[in-house]
Amino acid sequence: MRNPYTREIPKYTWYLRQGRYVRYMAREVTSLFIGLHAFLLICGLGALSQGEVAYNEFLAVLESPFYVVFLIVALLFVIYHSIAWFNVTPQAMPVQVGEDFLPGGIIIGAHYGIWAVATIVVLFLAGVF
Amino acid sequence: MSERKINLEVLRYDPDKDSEPRFQTYKAVPCQDDWVVLDALNYVKDNTDTTLSYRWSCHMAVCGSCGMMIDGEPTLSCKAFLKDYGDTIRVEPLYHFPIERDLVTVIDDFVEKLTKVKPFLIPKQPKSIEEGEYLQTPKQLKKFKQYTLCINCMLCYSACPQYGLIPDFLGPAALSLAHRYNIDSRDGGCQERMKVTATNIGVWECSFVGACSEVCPGHVDPASSLQQMKIASTVDWYKKRLMPWSKS
Amino acid sequence: MSGSSKISNKPIIWGLFAGGGTLTAFLTPALVLITLLVAIGVAPNGLSYSEIHGFASHWLGKLILFGVLSLSLWHAAHRFRIAINDFGIRADIPVAVVLYLLAGIGTIMSVVYLWGM
């Protein structure tokens, strides 16, 4: 007689079973840091719109151990977002040239190249160098 | 050729007697160096325990019937060489499917989902035989060829956490097959398939974990086709609302 | 699941998610690095009030700031919605409403602030 047995998936802990699922969850959590940092910048924008005093106060508030730790963690996560995002671009947008598909490495490499240039431009505009 | 003793920990389930599955260890199975896990299972079945049940057919990674969890990874047991494993190997039925008996799973859900996406050519303009064949250039063929290589082994369903958590999700292989026809130059059935694939239980349950593509023995890359389908159905969604006069 | 056989409306936000994901992948690490420099007390010259105010006053600066901030928010909101679901909190619709509301508020705030400069 048929009597199939269904194994339940642990709803809260399923991703702990394999490294690839943990990496996936880490990738999804990068969004928290992107969102929080965007809100931080919007707060800065609000201060900027109120004038020089408010803006300088905002910059001073950032100079705290809390923000240093938060921003270091955030930096690691957002870099992970960039790497994870660029590494799957050949899957999301394969490019067919003639008959063949462009090797994934070229598409990924091009994105890393643009990332490097964009980073240098932003840092330059901010006056880092 | 030298021999190696392997312990096989196999998940057993007898629907007539067991209330839940249990592991049974077959100790010191004498294996040849060049064997795969399927050979070891066959040895056990032939020599130790004739009640052990599992599916297999071709023994050459073509038929897609011998998929199992081997040390927790969805794998074709005919492709799992013993030299790549330790002395104790854990074998379970594919995750995310009900267990019929031992390593045999119930695959009705997958078969039903395959038929839902209309995985056949729906010609743009039907032609009579007199009008001749549907021509296609090598470039047009290459565009979708990769997605024709699916052998329906269901390893991708077993690797996909979203399918495990949301059983209604159409899943990687069925959606990939839909994509294979959508991008075929001879096909005009994309809109019809979207009625199924562009729903919440279609591509939109996929969160691009990517595990399906990592375990796929045919390098079909289902994750890739699902992302392309998301882009296509997003474009279609906006097009239908912003340009209601345009057809497609 | 209710409505599972209907065409999904997820594309509305997914377009913003995908666009935002690409934009943030290129820009956010540099932006976070600059914020971090401020936090450790070595704020670069370009962040002085006059420089930044000048940038945010120009229409092109406004457009860039609006684009980066709003797309970051919508990208983050959509992905975090799915993350919460993946962590086992299966209350998709309320979670989506709250997160999209936050992204919407952030978007409006950035418009209001930029308008006033």
Side-chain angles (χ1 to χ4, degrees), chain A residues 1-7 9-11 14 17-18 20-21 23-24 27-28 88 90-94 96-101, chain B residues 11 13 15-16 19 21 72-73 92-93 95-96 98-100 106 138-139 142 159 161 164 207-209 211 214 221 224 228 231:
Chain A
M1 207 187 73
R2 287 188 71 175
N3 179 25
Y5 182 86
T6 302
R7 288 186 282 181
I9 292 116
K11 201 169 91 166
W14 61 269
R17 193 172 69 75
Q18 276 192 335
R20 64 158 69 99
Y21 299 143
R23 286 194 294 277
Y24 159 74
R27 185 193 83 186
E28 297 301 282
V88 298
Q91 285 177 287
M93 287 185 288
Q96 198 177 13
V97 181
E99 265 181 48
D100 292 309
F101 282 94
Chain B
L11 195 71
Y13 174 66
D16 294 320
S19 60
E73 179 81 352
E92 299 166 72
Y95 280 172
H96 305 157
I99 304 172
E100 185 81 61
V106 182
K139 183 183 175 174
K142 201 141 191 181
S207 58
F208 205 171
V209 179
E214 286 171 29
D221 201 350
S224 161
Q228 293 169 53
I231 296 172

Coordinates of all heavy atoms in Angstrom, one line a residue, chain A residues 1-7 9-11 14 17-18 20-21 23-24 27-28 88 90-94 96-101, chain B residues 11 13 15-16 19 21 72-73 92-93 95-96 98-100 106 138-139 142 159 161 164 207-209 211 214 221 224 228 231:
Chain A
M1 N 0.8 -1.2 0.0 CA 0.0 0.0 0.0 C 0.9 1.3 0.0 O 1.9 1.3 0.6 CB -0.9 0.0 1.2 CG -2.2 0.8 1.1 SD -3.1 0.9 2.6 CE -2.1 2.1 3.5
R2 N 0.4 2.3 -0.7 CA 1.2 3.5 -0.7 C 1.0 4.3 0.6 O -0.1 4.4 1.1 CB 0.8 4.4 -1.9 CG 1.3 3.8 -3.2 CD 1.0 4.8 -4.4 NE 1.9 6.0 -4.3 CZ 1.9 6.9 -5.2 NH1 1.1 6.9 -6.2 NH2 2.7 8.0 -5.0
N3 N 2.1 4.8 1.1 CA 2.0 5.6 2.3 C 3.2 6.5 2.3 O 4.1 6.4 3.2 CB 2.0 4.7 3.5 CG 1.9 5.4 4.8 OD1 1.5 6.5 4.9 ND2 2.5 4.8 5.9
P4 N 3.3 7.5 1.4 CA 4.5 8.3 1.3 C 4.8 9.1 2.5 O 3.9 9.6 3.2 CB 4.1 9.3 0.1 CG 3.0 8.6 -0.6 CD 2.2 7.9 0.4
Y5 N 6.1 9.3 2.8 CA 6.5 10.0 4.0 C 7.1 11.3 3.5 O 8.0 11.4 2.7 CB 7.5 9.2 4.8 CG 8.0 9.9 6.0 CD1 7.3 9.8 7.2 CD2 9.1 10.8 6.0 CE1 7.7 10.4 8.4 CE2 9.5 11.5 7.1 CZ 8.8 11.3 8.3 OH 9.2 12.0 9.4
T6 N 6.6 12.4 4.1 CA 7.1 13.8 3.8 C 8.0 14.3 4.9 O 7.6 14.4 6.0 CB 5.9 14.7 3.5 OG1 5.1 14.2 2.5 CG2 6.4 16.1 3.1
R7 N 9.2 14.6 4.5 CA 10.1 15.2 5.5 C 9.9 16.7 5.5 O 9.9 17.4 4.5 CB 11.6 14.9 5.1 CG 12.0 13.4 5.3 CD 13.4 13.2 5.0 NE 13.7 13.1 3.6 CZ 14.9 12.9 3.1 NH1 16.0 12.8 3.9 NH2 15.1 12.8 1.8
I9 N 10.8 20.6 6.2 CA 12.0 21.5 6.1 C 12.0 22.5 7.3 O 11.0 23.1 7.5 CB 12.0 22.3 4.8 CG1 12.3 21.3 3.7 CG2 13.1 23.3 4.8 CD1 11.2 21.2 2.7
P10 N 13.0 22.5 8.1 CA 13.0 23.4 9.2 C 12.9 24.9 8.8 O 13.8 25.4 8.1 CB 14.3 23.2 10.0 CG 15.2 22.4 9.0 CD 14.3 21.8 8.0
K11 N 11.8 25.5 9.0 CA 11.4 26.8 8.5 C 12.4 27.9 8.9 O 12.7 28.8 8.1 CB 10.0 27.2 9.0 CG 9.3 28.2 8.2 CD 7.8 28.2 8.6 CE 7.6 29.3 9.7 NZ 6.1 29.6 9.9
W14 N 16.7 26.3 7.9 CA 17.0 25.6 6.7 C 18.4 26.0 6.1 O 19.1 25.1 5.6 CB 15.9 25.7 5.7 CG 15.7 27.1 5.2 CD1 14.8 28.0 5.7 CD2 16.4 27.8 4.1 NE1 14.9 29.2 5.1 CE2 15.9 29.1 4.1 CE3 17.4 27.4 3.2 CZ2 16.3 30.0 3.2 CZ3 17.8 28.3 2.3 CH2 17.3 29.6 2.3
R17 N 22.0 24.3 6.7 CA 22.4 23.0 6.3 C 23.6 23.0 5.4 O 24.4 22.1 5.4 CB 21.2 22.3 5.6 CG 21.4 20.8 5.4 CD 20.1 20.2 4.9 NE 19.8 20.6 3.5 CZ 20.4 20.2 2.4 NH1 21.4 19.3 2.5 NH2 20.0 20.6 1.2
Q18 N 23.8 24.0 4.6 CA 24.9 24.0 3.6 C 25.5 25.4 3.5 O 24.8 26.4 3.6 CB 24.3 23.6 2.2 CG 24.3 22.1 2.0 CD 24.0 21.8 0.5 OE1 23.5 22.6 -0.2 NE2 24.5 20.6 0.1
R20 N 26.4 27.0 0.9 CA 25.9 27.8 -0.2 C 24.6 28.6 0.2 O 24.4 29.7 -0.2 CB 25.6 27.0 -1.5 CG 24.5 25.9 -1.3 CD 24.0 25.5 -2.7 NE 25.0 24.8 -3.5 CZ 25.0 23.5 -3.7 NH1 24.2 22.7 -3.0 NH2 25.9 22.9 -4.4
Y21 N 23.8 28.0 1.1 CA 22.6 28.7 1.6 C 23.0 29.8 2.6 O 22.4 30.9 2.6 CB 21.7 27.7 2.3 CG 21.2 26.6 1.4 CD1 21.0 25.3 1.9 CD2 20.9 26.8 0.1 CE1 20.5 24.3 1.1 CE2 20.4 25.8 -0.8 CZ 20.2 24.5 -0.2 OH 19.8 23.5 -1.0
R23 N 25.8 31.5 2.4 CA 26.3 32.6 1.5 C 25.1 33.4 0.9 O 25.2 34.6 0.8 CB 27.2 32.0 0.5 CG 28.6 31.6 1.0 CD 29.6 31.4 -0.1 NE 29.2 30.2 -0.9 CZ 29.5 28.9 -0.6 NH1 30.1 28.7 0.5 NH2 29.1 27.9 -1.4
Y24 N 24.1 32.6 0.5 CA 22.9 33.3 -0.1 C 22.3 34.2 0.9 O 22.0 35.4 0.6 CB 21.9 32.2 -0.5 CG 20.5 32.7 -0.7 CD1 20.2 33.5 -1.8 CD2 19.5 32.4 0.2 CE1 18.9 34.0 -1.9 CE2 18.2 32.8 0.1 CZ 17.9 33.6 -1.0 OH 16.7 34.1 -1.1
R27 N 24.2 37.3 1.4 CA 24.0 38.2 0.2 C 22.6 39.0 0.4 O 22.6 40.2 0.1 CB 23.9 37.3 -1.0 CG 23.8 38.1 -2.3 CD 23.4 37.2 -3.5 NE 22.0 36.9 -3.6 CZ 21.4 36.1 -4.4 NH1 22.1 35.3 -5.2 NH2 20.1 36.0 -4.4
E28 N 21.6 38.3 0.9 CA 20.3 38.9 1.0 C 20.4 40.0 2.1 O 19.7 41.0 2.1 CB 19.2 37.9 1.3 CG 19.0 36.9 0.2 CD 18.6 37.5 -1.1 OE1 17.4 38.0 -1.3 OE2 19.5 37.6 -2.0
V88 N 27.0 37.2 -11.0 CA 25.9 36.5 -11.6 C 25.4 37.2 -12.8 O 24.5 36.7 -13.5 CB 24.8 36.2 -10.6 CG1 25.2 35.3 -9.5 CG2 24.2 37.5 -10.1
P90 N 26.5 37.3 -15.9 CA 26.5 36.5 -17.1 C 25.2 35.6 -17.1 O 24.7 35.3 -18.2 CB 27.7 35.7 -17.1 CG 28.6 36.3 -16.1 CD 27.7 37.0 -15.1
Q91 N 24.8 35.2 -16.0 CA 23.6 34.4 -15.9 C 22.3 35.2 -16.2 O 21.4 34.7 -16.9 CB 23.5 33.7 -14.5 CG 24.4 32.6 -14.3 CD 24.3 32.0 -12.9 OE1 24.8 32.6 -12.0 NE2 23.8 30.8 -12.8
A92 N 22.2 36.4 -15.6 CA 21.0 37.2 -15.8 C 21.0 37.8 -17.2 O 19.9 38.0 -17.7 CB 21.0 38.3 -14.7
M93 N 22.2 38.2 -17.7 CA 22.2 38.9 -19.0 C 23.3 38.3 -19.9 O 24.3 38.9 -20.1 CB 22.4 40.4 -18.8 CG 21.1 41.0 -18.3 SD 21.3 42.8 -18.2 CE 22.4 43.0 -16.9
P94 N 23.1 37.1 -20.4 CA 24.1 36.5 -21.3 C 24.1 37.3 -22.6 O 23.1 37.8 -23.0 CB 23.6 35.1 -21.5 CG 22.1 35.1 -21.2 CD 21.9 36.2 -20.2
Q96 N 25.1 37.1 -26.6 CA 25.4 36.3 -27.7 C 26.1 37.1 -28.8 O 25.5 38.1 -29.3 CB 24.2 35.6 -28.2 CG 24.4 34.4 -29.1 CD 23.2 33.7 -29.5 OE1 22.1 34.2 -29.4 NE2 23.3 32.5 -30.1
V97 N 27.3 36.8 -29.1 CA 28.0 37.5 -30.2 C 28.2 36.6 -31.3 O 28.9 35.6 -31.2 CB 29.4 38.1 -29.7 CG1 30.1 38.8 -30.8 CG2 29.2 39.0 -28.5
G98 N 27.6 36.8 -32.4 CA 27.6 35.8 -33.5 C 26.8 34.6 -33.0 O 25.8 34.7 -32.4
E99 N 27.5 33.4 -33.2 CA 26.8 32.2 -32.7 C 27.0 32.0 -31.3 O 26.2 31.5 -30.6 CB 27.4 31.0 -33.5 CG 26.5 30.6 -34.7 CD 27.1 29.4 -35.4 OE1 27.4 28.4 -34.7 OE2 27.2 29.5 -36.7
D100 N 28.2 32.4 -30.8 CA 28.6 31.9 -29.4 C 28.3 33.0 -28.4 O 28.1 34.2 -28.7 CB 30.1 31.7 -29.4 CG 30.4 30.4 -30.2 OD1 29.8 29.4 -30.0 OD2 31.3 30.6 -31.1
F101 N 28.2 32.5 -27.1 CA 28.0 33.4 -26.0 C 29.3 33.9 -25.5 O 30.3 33.2 -25.5 CB 27.2 32.7 -24.9 CG 25.7 32.5 -25.2 CD1 25.2 31.4 -25.8 CD2 24.9 33.6 -24.8 CE1 23.9 31.3 -26.0 CE2 23.5 33.5 -25.1 CZ 23.0 32.4 -25.7
Chain B
L11 N 19.2 5.8 4.0 CA 17.9 6.1 4.6 C 16.9 5.1 4.1 O 16.7 5.0 2.9 CB 17.5 7.5 4.3 CG 16.4 8.0 5.2 CD1 16.9 8.2 6.7 CD2 15.8 9.3 4.7
Y13 N 13.0 3.3 4.3 CA 11.6 3.6 4.7 C 10.7 2.5 4.1 O 10.7 2.4 2.8 CB 11.2 5.0 4.3 CG 9.7 5.3 4.5 CD1 9.2 5.3 5.8 CD2 8.8 5.5 3.5 CE1 7.8 5.6 6.1 CE2 7.4 5.7 3.7 CZ 7.0 5.8 5.0 OH 5.6 6.0 5.2
P15 N 6.9 1.7 3.7 CA 5.6 2.3 3.9 C 4.7 1.3 4.7 O 3.7 1.8 5.3 CB 5.1 2.6 2.5 CG 5.9 1.8 1.6 CD 7.2 1.6 2.2
D16 N 4.9 0.0 4.6 CA 4.0 -0.9 5.3 C 4.3 -1.0 6.8 O 3.4 -1.3 7.5 CB 4.1 -2.3 4.6 CG 3.6 -2.3 3.2 OD1 2.6 -1.6 3.0 OD2 4.2 -2.9 2.3
S19 N 6.9 4.0 10.6 CA 6.2 5.3 10.8 C 7.0 6.4 10.3 O 6.5 7.5 9.9 CB 5.7 5.5 12.2 OG 6.9 5.5 13.0
P21 N 11.3 7.3 8.4 CA 12.5 6.7 7.8 C 13.6 6.6 8.9 O 13.5 7.2 9.9 CB 12.9 7.8 6.8 CG 11.8 8.7 6.6 CD 11.0 8.7 7.8
G72 N 24.6 14.6 1.6 CA 23.8 15.9 1.7 C 23.7 16.7 0.4 O 23.1 17.7 0.4
E73 N 24.3 16.2 -0.7 CA 24.3 17.0 -1.9 C 23.5 16.2 -3.0 O 23.7 15.0 -3.2 CB 25.8 17.2 -2.4 CG 26.0 17.9 -3.7 CD 25.9 19.4 -3.5 OE1 25.6 19.9 -2.4 OE2 26.2 20.1 -4.5
E92 N 20.7 9.4 0.8 CA 19.3 9.6 1.2 C 18.5 9.9 -0.1 O 19.0 10.2 -1.1 CB 19.1 10.9 2.1 CG 19.8 10.8 3.4 CD 19.9 12.2 4.0 OE1 18.9 12.7 4.4 OE2 21.0 12.8 4.0
P93 N 17.1 9.7 0.0 CA 16.3 10.1 -1.2 C 16.4 11.6 -1.4 O 16.8 12.3 -0.5 CB 14.9 9.7 -0.8 CG 14.9 9.4 0.7 CD 16.3 9.1 1.1
Y95 N 15.9 15.4 -1.4 CA 15.1 16.2 -0.6 C 13.9 16.9 -1.3 O 14.0 17.0 -2.5 CB 16.0 17.4 -0.1 CG 16.9 17.0 1.1 CD1 17.9 17.9 1.5 CD2 16.8 15.8 1.7 CE1 18.8 17.6 2.5 CE2 17.7 15.5 2.8 CZ 18.7 16.4 3.2 OH 19.5 16.1 4.2
H96 N 13.0 17.3 -0.5 CA 11.8 18.1 -1.0 C 10.8 17.3 -1.8 O 9.8 17.8 -2.3 CB 12.3 19.3 -1.9 CG 13.2 20.2 -1.2 ND1 14.1 21.0 -1.9 CD2 13.5 20.4 0.1 CE1 14.9 21.7 -1.0 NE2 14.5 21.3 0.2
P98 N 8.3 13.7 -1.4 CA 7.9 12.6 -0.4 C 8.6 11.3 -0.7 O 8.9 11.0 -1.9 CB 6.4 12.5 -0.7 CG 6.0 13.7 -1.5 CD 7.2 14.2 -2.2
I99 N 8.8 10.5 0.3 CA 9.5 9.3 0.1 C 8.5 8.2 -0.1 O 7.6 7.9 0.7 CB 10.4 8.9 1.3 CG1 11.4 10.1 1.6 CG2 11.1 7.6 1.1 CD1 12.1 9.9 2.9
E100 N 8.6 7.5 -1.2 CA 7.7 6.4 -1.5 C 8.2 5.1 -0.8 O 7.4 4.5 -0.1 CB 7.7 6.1 -3.0 CG 6.8 5.0 -3.5 CD 5.3 5.6 -3.7 OE1 5.2 6.5 -4.5 OE2 4.4 5.1 -3.0
V106 N 8.4 10.3 -4.6 CA 7.1 10.5 -5.3 C 7.3 11.7 -6.2 O 7.6 12.8 -5.7 CB 5.9 10.7 -4.4 CG1 4.6 10.9 -5.2 CG2 5.8 9.6 -3.4
P138 N 22.0 28.4 -37.2 CA 22.8 27.9 -36.1 C 22.8 28.8 -34.9 O 22.8 28.4 -33.8 CB 24.2 27.7 -36.7 CG 24.0 27.6 -38.2 CD 22.7 28.4 -38.5
K139 N 22.8 30.2 -35.2 CA 22.8 31.1 -34.1 C 21.5 31.0 -33.3 O 21.5 31.1 -32.1 CB 23.0 32.5 -34.7 CG 23.1 33.6 -33.6 CD 23.2 35.0 -34.1 CE 23.1 36.0 -33.0 NZ 23.3 37.3 -33.3
K142 N 21.6 27.9 -31.2 CA 22.5 28.0 -30.1 C 21.9 28.8 -28.9 O 22.3 28.6 -27.7 CB 23.9 28.6 -30.5 CG 25.0 28.3 -29.6 CD 26.3 28.0 -30.4 CE 27.3 27.4 -29.5 NZ 28.6 27.1 -30.2
A159 N 17.7 20.9 -4.7 CA 18.7 21.9 -4.2 C 18.0 23.2 -3.9 O 18.5 24.0 -3.2 CB 19.7 22.1 -5.2
P161 N 15.8 25.8 -2.1 CA 15.1 25.9 -0.9 C 13.7 26.5 -1.0 O 12.8 26.2 -0.2 CB 16.0 26.9 -0.1 CG 16.8 27.6 -1.1 CD 17.0 26.6 -2.2
G164 N 11.4 23.7 -1.6 CA 11.2 23.0 -0.4 C 10.2 23.7 0.6 O 9.4 23.1 1.2
S207 N 14.3 33.3 -5.8 CA 15.1 34.5 -5.3 C 16.5 34.3 -5.7 O 17.4 34.9 -5.0 CB 14.9 34.5 -3.8 OG 15.3 33.3 -3.2
F208 N 16.8 33.6 -6.8 CA 18.1 33.5 -7.3 C 19.2 33.0 -6.3 O 20.2 33.6 -6.1 CB 18.6 34.8 -7.9 CG 19.7 34.7 -9.0 CD1 20.0 35.8 -9.7 CD2 20.3 33.4 -9.2 CE1 21.0 35.6 -10.7 CE2 21.2 33.3 -10.2 CZ 21.6 34.4 -11.0
V209 N 18.8 31.9 -5.6 CA 19.8 31.3 -4.7 C 20.9 30.7 -5.6 O 22.1 30.7 -5.2 CB 19.1 30.1 -3.9 CG1 20.1 29.4 -3.0 CG2 17.9 30.7 -3.1
A211 N 21.4 27.6 -6.4 CA 21.8 26.2 -6.1 C 21.5 25.2 -7.2 O 22.2 24.3 -7.5 CB 21.2 25.7 -4.8
E214 N 24.1 25.0 -9.7 CA 25.4 24.4 -9.1 C 25.3 22.9 -9.1 O 26.2 22.2 -9.3 CB 25.6 24.9 -7.7 CG 26.2 26.3 -7.7 CD 26.2 26.9 -6.3 OE1 26.4 26.1 -5.3 OE2 26.1 28.1 -6.2
D221 N 21.9 25.3 -16.3 CA 21.8 26.6 -15.7 C 20.4 27.2 -15.6 O 20.1 28.2 -16.1 CB 22.7 27.6 -16.4 CG 23.1 28.8 -15.5 OD1 22.6 29.0 -14.4 OD2 24.0 29.6 -16.0
S224 N 19.9 30.9 -14.5 CA 20.1 31.8 -15.6 C 18.8 32.1 -16.3 O 18.3 33.2 -16.6 CB 21.2 31.3 -16.6 OG 21.1 32.0 -17.8
Q228 N 16.4 35.5 -16.7 CA 16.0 36.1 -18.0 C 14.5 36.2 -18.1 O 13.9 37.1 -18.7 CB 16.6 35.3 -19.1 CG 18.1 35.4 -19.2 CD 18.7 34.3 -20.1 OE1 18.3 34.2 -21.3 NE2 19.6 33.5 -19.6
I231 N 13.3 39.2 -16.1 CA 13.5 40.5 -16.9 C 12.4 40.6 -18.0 O 11.7 41.6 -18.1 CB 14.9 40.5 -17.5 CG1 15.9 40.5 -16.4 CG2 15.0 41.7 -18.5 CD1 17.4 40.4 -16.9

